[in-house]
């Protein structure tokens, strides 16, 4: 296993640059498994020296897994703020104030990550593009079995795996599916969808925060999420076996896919002017703006994807649009800015925020240069 602090690369081979099943609606699948070592208290009760011991034990276990040469293990306090921010943007590490005695393990393509001493001793995550719950679970279970062959996890016959949060006790497994639901959002159906999912112990939440009337390229305040990107996940980990939980999330995701595709056809047939206006505004903002804030960029990508999924444009694919959601983030742009030679206009050359907005505009323009309208 490599011991490296260089976790800030452009990652052109990152997992999110690959295409996946059902990518017109589903961007990605994530499975996170929480585990705790049987012989130590939960992290918030650990003494500093014991936190260091737990981190060493987990790092050593990952160093004996199959394919261990592809992993990097880093003590979080050794990461610079930019490296940590990029990991947060990629979902590999949660936002947290105190990084003392924490650890992170990351596979080179980012598909597998593990955080150590954050809420639980071990939180391992596996990511896949598109709707790929079964294969993601297969890889997650393979890692879990490998760790269990070396580590003793805290568990109970009555409660299953023991975790710091009662909602994680049981399987310790949280399955998340990221979806793009602009048609349902525009039709104002998100609230009813959310209520229906809750009845099946599935939660729907915004991926990038709240949308609203300030999204100049979007559909006003009809959508509840910025860019109409949503995550669905199981509310708790105690409802049935891992297979039961996987089946529940998969069924919910497929039901949402059908609803979004049906709503998409209705919007295309009944609201052609509104749909084309959203698409025109998204492309125009991307092509002609010198500066693009992050929130606006997320909404622009959503508008272009909505148009693509309605076959109103050609020249870009789902994988590239998915990757853009990572490439436009602040940490990534700061890294690009520091490792490239860019010449900014005099009025923004001393403003890091505006320089990132300029780079974001250039990335969108480059990505959209081959787009052609298909109507």
């Amino acid at each position: 296993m490599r011991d490296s602090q260089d976790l800030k690369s452009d990652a052109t081979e990152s997992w999110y640059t690959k295409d996946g099943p059902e990518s017109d609606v589903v961007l990605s699948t994530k499975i996170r498994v929480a585990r705790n070592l049987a012989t130590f208290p939960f992290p918030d009760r650990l003494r500093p020296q014991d936190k260091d011991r737990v981190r060493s034990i987990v790092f050593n276990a990952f160093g004996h897994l199959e394919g261990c040469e592809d992993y990097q293990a880093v003590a979080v306090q050794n990461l610079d703020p930019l490296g940590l921010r990029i990991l947060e943007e990629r979902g590999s590490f949660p936002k947290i104030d105190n990084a003392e005695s924490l650890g992170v393990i990351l596979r080179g393509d980012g598909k597998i990550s593990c955080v150590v001493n954050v809420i639980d001793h071990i939180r391992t995550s596996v990511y896949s593009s598109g709707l790929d719950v079964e294969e993601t679970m297969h890889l997650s279970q393979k890692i879990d079995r490998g760790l269990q062959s070396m580590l003793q996890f805290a568990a109970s016959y009555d409660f299953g795996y023991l975790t710091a949060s009662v909602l994680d006790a049981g399987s310790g497994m949280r399955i998340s599916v990221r979806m793009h639901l602009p048609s349902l959002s525009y039709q104002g159906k998100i609230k009813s969808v959310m209520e229906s999912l809750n009845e099946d112990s599935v939660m729907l939440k915004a991926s990038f925060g709240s949308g609203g009337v300030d999204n100049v390229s979007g559909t006003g305040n009809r959508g509840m999420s910025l860019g109409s990107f949503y995550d669905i996940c199981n509310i708790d980990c105690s409802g049935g076996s891992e297979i039961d939980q996987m089946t529940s999330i998969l069924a919910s995701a497929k039901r949402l896919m059908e609803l979004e595709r049906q709503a998409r056809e209705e919007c295309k047939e009944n609201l052609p002017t509104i749909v084309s206006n959203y698409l025109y505004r998204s492309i125009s903002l991307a092509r002609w703006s010198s500066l693009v804030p992050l929130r606006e960029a997320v909404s622009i990508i959503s508008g272009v994807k909505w148009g693509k999924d309605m076959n109103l444009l050609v020249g870009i694919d789902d994988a590239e649009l998915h990757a853009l959601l990572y490439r436009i983030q602040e940490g990534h742009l700061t890294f690009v800015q520091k490792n490239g030679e860019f010449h900014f206009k005099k009025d923004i050359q001393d403003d890091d925020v505006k320089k990132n907005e300029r780079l974001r505009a250039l990335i969108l323009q480059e990505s959209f240069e081959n787009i052609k309208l298909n109507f």
Side-chain angles (χ1 to χ4, degrees):
M1 182 165 60
R2 294 174 288 159
D3 184 7
S4 171
Q5 298 181 32
D6 184 17
L7 300 177
K8 306 187 292 292
S9 69
D10 195 8
T12 54
E13 296 302 317
S14 295
W15 68 270
Y16 52 76
T17 64
K18 310 297 190 297
D19 198 13
E22 316 291 357
S23 59
D24 62 315
V25 180
V26 180
L27 279 72
S28 61
T29 303
K30 172 186 175 181
I31 293 182
R32 187 229 67 200
V33 173
R35 298 286 186 260
N36 288 280
L37 302 182
T39 54
F40 291 89
F42 292 135
D44 65 345
R45 298 298 180 92
L46 278 174
R47 296 174 299 175
Q49 60 267 35
D50 287 334
K51 284 189 175 183
D52 291 338
R53 287 181 61 200
V54 168
R55 186 175 60 193
S56 296
I57 290 169
V58 176
F59 280 8
N60 181 67
F62 263 88
H64 288 85
L65 290 180
E66 180 182 345
C68 61
E69 65 277 3
D70 295 327
Y71 292 103
Q72 299 176 57
V74 183
V76 174
Q77 67 260 32
N78 294 333
L79 279 173
D80 62 46
L82 177 58
L84 186 57
R85 180 164 190 175
I86 290 175
L87 292 183
E88 292 171 355
E89 291 173 353
R90 294 178 183 176
S92 300
F93 201 87
K95 293 183 179 180
I96 197 165
D97 294 329
N98 185 9
E100 184 179 356
S101 299
L102 306 184
V104 60
I105 302 162
L106 191 71
R107 202 171 81 171
D109 58 1
K111 187 178 179 67
I112 300 168
S113 64
C114 175
V115 295
V116 184
N117 289 331
V118 180
I119 303 178
D120 295 293
H121 296 143
I122 302 171
R123 285 195 163 197
T124 304
S125 298
V126 178
Y127 303 83
S128 296
S129 292
L131 184 64
D132 201 356
V133 177
E134 293 180 355
E135 181 58 31
T136 310
M137 175 175 278
H138 174 74
L139 182 53
S140 177
Q141 291 178 328
K142 181 179 179 180
I143 295 167
D144 193 45
R145 286 194 299 268
L147 292 175
Q148 290 200 49
S149 69
M150 294 173 277
L151 305 173
Q152 183 181 357
F153 292 146
S156 160
Y157 284 110
D158 294 325
F159 300 105
Y161 291 103
L162 303 181
T163 56
S165 170
V166 67
L167 293 178
D168 288 325
S171 69
M173 180 182 69
R174 187 82 61 177
I175 307 175
S176 302
V177 177
R178 180 158 294 179
M179 311 187 78
H180 186 228
L181 307 174
S183 308
L184 290 171
S185 295
Y186 189 81
Q187 290 183 344
K189 295 181 178 179
I190 291 298
K191 184 177 180 180
S192 62
V193 166
M194 185 180 300
E195 292 171 349
S196 175
L197 289 172
N198 285 343
E199 293 176 359
D200 295 327
S201 297
V202 175
M203 176 171 55
L204 179 75
K205 60 182 180 179
S207 302
F208 299 103
S210 174
V213 294
D214 58 332
N215 293 324
V216 295
S217 60
T219 56
N221 60 359
R222 293 177 180 267
M224 297 173 62
S225 171
L226 180 60
S228 299
F229 294 104
Y230 293 90
D231 294 336
I232 65 168
C233 64
N234 49 315
I235 292 177
D236 63 69
C237 302
S238 61
S241 67
E242 292 182 350
I243 298 300
D244 293 333
Q245 293 171 25
M246 180 190 75
T247 301
S248 175
I249 288 291
L250 190 56
S252 296
K254 289 183 176 180
R255 186 165 76 249
L256 265 182
M257 286 191 312
E258 293 175 3
L259 290 173
E260 171 61 25
R261 287 166 179 162
Q262 179 182 344
R264 183 192 301 161
E265 292 303 313
E266 292 171 356
C267 288
K268 184 177 180 180
E269 180 177 353
N270 300 325
L271 304 169
T273 302
I274 292 171
V275 171
S276 60
N277 179 64
Y278 186 11
L279 174 58
Y280 288 148
R281 294 181 72 192
S282 298
I283 293 177
S284 297
L285 278 167
R287 284 182 170 171
W288 302 108
S289 294
S290 297
L291 307 171
V292 179
L294 176 59
R295 287 177 59 83
E296 190 169 289
V298 172
S299 193
I300 286 171
I301 293 167
S302 174
V304 171
K305 179 166 171 53
W306 200 23
K308 176 206 165 293
D309 293 334
M310 289 191 178
N311 296 316
L312 300 179
L313 62 83
V314 295
I316 194 166
D317 58 31
D318 288 316
E320 186 170 4
L321 288 166
H322 185 197
L324 273 176
L325 291 170
Y326 294 90
R327 294 178 63 205
I328 62 169
Q329 298 295 324
E330 295 290 346
H332 176 83
L333 292 175
T334 300
F335 173 74
V336 171
Q337 188 183 137
K338 287 186 174 182
N339 289 272
E341 294 186 6
F342 301 95
H343 301 285
F344 296 97
K345 295 290 182 66
K346 185 176 180 180
D347 58 334
I348 67 169
Q349 64 183 6
D350 297 321
D351 188 329
D352 290 336
V353 172
K354 294 302 180 186
K355 286 193 289 186
N356 275 358
E357 290 181 357
R358 178 59 183 149
L359 286 178
R360 190 177 289 115
L362 293 172
I363 287 172
L364 290 174
Q365 289 160 11
E366 180 185 41
S367 299
F368 295 168
E369 63 182 358
N370 294 322
I371 285 179
K372 295 180 181 179
L373 297 179
N374 197 32
F375 62 96

